[in-house]
Amino acid sequence: MPVLVMGETLLVTLQGELHDGTAEQLQQDISHRIAGSGANGVIIDISGVETVDSFLGRILAEIAASAGLLAARTVLVGMRPAVAITLVELGLTLPGLATALDIDRALELLARTSTPSAPDGHERAT
Amino acid sequence: MPVLVMGETLLVTLQGELHDGTAEQLQQDISHRIAGSGANGVIIDISGVETVDSFLGRILAEIAASAGLLAARTVLVGMRPAVAITLVELGLTLPGLATALDIDRALELLARTSTPSAPDGHERAT
């Protein structure tokens, strides 16, 4: 699972199924990349993901939590409508994970919430 | 149940009773419209709704949750005073759902919480 660095943001594209080992590896890769690059944002593109189950929901939440501890904010992009509905049905509303429709909006969101001049840093804490 | 697109906002007007099938269809319509239009807000007008039971409360919460996962905020407008009182009596305080008195105020609320220049992003995170 490639992790690209775009300036201060990491971009990860999930494709197909994520297995136990891959998920753990991905979480480690992302954490190391944040620490190495000083990234303050992680964008995870899940437009290639057709089904989200509780396993993937948990993985995403864990990636966001570890990124958060390294002071990077995680934004999910490209969620399909059917996936959103399934997540709600499963009761997985992904607290702590921000979402944006596409990468442009995710970058805007990250810029808005992480600039030093932001008068209010609350969101980061959520 | 028609879903209108007004710029970056969807407007849904609920009329009369909502049945299982209609509710599910509505949730799907809204989710697809958000993904298709890039809307960042959904206004649900319930001024035509005379009684709100726990079923409708749950549907509204689920619509708001799936819209939230797609990065759109849901605002309920036009709630009748009697409906508000019934909701409280039922213990349904609709967490995660913002309310506004009318559509104008809902648009203001959405503009305030979603523009890039918004000084405070709290509400988005709720």
Side-chain angles (χ1 to χ4, degrees), chain A residues 4-50:
Chain A
L4 305 175
V5 181
M6 307 191 304
E8 296 207 301
T9 307
L10 304 184
L11 177 62
V12 185
T13 306
L14 294 194
Q15 293 284 358
E17 293 252 327
L18 206 63
H19 300 288
D20 265 32
T22 335
E24 202 175 305
Q25 185 62 48
L26 181 64
Q27 190 180 9
Q28 286 186 11
D29 284 355
I30 291 175
S31 301
H32 284 107
R33 281 297 182 91
I34 293 170
S37 66
N40 58 25
V42 179
I43 298 178
I44 303 181
D45 182 351
I46 59 167
S47 57
V49 175
E50 288 188 31

Side-chain angles (χ1 to χ4, degrees), chain B:
Chain B
M1 211 71 75
V3 179
L4 305 177
V5 181
M6 307 191 304
E8 295 208 299
T9 307
L10 303 185
L11 178 60
V12 185
T13 306
L14 293 194
Q15 293 283 359
E17 293 251 328
L18 206 63
H19 301 285
D20 264 32
T22 334
E24 202 174 304
Q25 185 63 48
L26 181 63
Q27 188 183 11
Q28 286 187 10
D29 283 356
I30 292 176
S31 301
H32 284 104
R33 281 297 182 93
I34 293 170
S37 67
N40 57 25
V42 179
I43 298 177
I44 303 182
D45 183 350
I46 58 167
S47 57
V49 175
E50 289 188 29
T51 53
V52 173
D53 53 12
S54 58
F55 173 71
L56 183 56
R58 185 165 57 76
I59 292 302
L60 292 173
E62 285 185 4
I63 287 174
S66 53
L69 286 172
L70 296 168
R73 185 141 198 258
T74 303
V75 183
L76 276 191
V77 302
M79 188 183 294
R80 300 183 180 202
V83 166
I85 292 171
T86 310
L87 284 174
V88 171
E89 281 169 356
L90 289 171
L92 295 167
T93 48
L94 307 179
L97 265 169
T99 50
L101 267 191
D102 51 38
I103 293 177
D104 279 352
R105 285 172 211 225
L107 287 169
E108 256 174 46
L109 179 65
L110 288 170
R112 183 147 47 86
T113 53
S114 61
T115 48
S117 58
D120 184 331
H122 261 291
E123 290 203 80
R124 162 172 287 264
T126 58

Side-chain angles (χ1 to χ4, degrees), chain A residues 73 76 79-85 87-89 92-94 99-101 105 108-109 112 118-120 122-123 126, chain B residues 8 27-28 31-32 34-35 38-39 62 65-66 68-71 113-122 124-125:
Chain A
R73 184 140 198 259
L76 276 189
M79 188 183 293
R80 300 183 180 203
V83 166
I85 292 172
L87 283 174
V88 170
E89 281 170 357
L92 295 167
T93 49
L94 307 179
T99 51
L101 267 192
R105 286 174 208 225
E108 254 176 47
L109 180 65
R112 181 146 50 87
D120 184 332
H122 269 284
E123 275 206 291
T126 57
Chain B
E8 295 208 299
Q27 188 183 11
Q28 286 187 10
S31 301
H32 284 104
I34 293 170
E62 285 185 4
S66 53
L69 286 172
L70 296 168
T113 53
S114 61
T115 48
S117 58
D120 184 331
H122 261 291
R124 162 172 287 264

